[in-house]
Amino acid sequence: MNDDQRAALRQASVPDADLDSLETLNTTAVDCLIQRLEQAQDWQARELRSAMDGMLDAMPRLLRGPVKKLFER
């Protein structure tokens, strides 16, 4: 595993202890894993936004702004 792959896995929240176990994978497998992790994180972000929008739609208008501001990153 090269440094770029290691950095991409760290960015995908893979703990350092698990990075050592992934050393046995070949480059193609690591690239595939990185791609799948990025896809999963994108999907999760879309689902969270969708859930937040649904929650905000159920709230009274006056509360939407302050609640949205609380949960923004």
Side-chain angles (χ1 to χ4, degrees):
M1 178 180 338
N2 63 37
D3 291 338
D4 291 336
Q5 291 172 325
R6 189 173 279 275
L9 288 169
R10 276 196 184 111
Q11 187 175 358
S13 301
V14 176
D16 286 337
D18 292 339
L19 287 177
D20 294 335
S21 337
L22 297 174
E23 286 290 339
T24 59
L25 295 176
N26 65 30
T27 303
T28 306
V30 173
D31 287 338
C32 183
L33 176 62
I34 291 167
Q35 180 183 10
R36 298 292 166 96
L37 286 170
E38 289 171 348
Q39 289 172 347
Q41 287 176 328
D42 290 343
W43 175 82
Q44 182 183 33
R46 283 192 310 275
E47 290 296 312
L48 286 172
R49 272 193 299 277
S50 175
M52 177 67 118
D53 290 343
M55 180 203 57
L56 289 172
D57 288 343
M59 296 184 105
R61 265 192 206 281
L62 290 173
L63 293 176
R64 290 179 191 173
V67 170
K68 188 174 182 180
K69 194 171 187 171
L70 280 173
F71 289 100
E72 285 180 345
R73 292 183 187 203

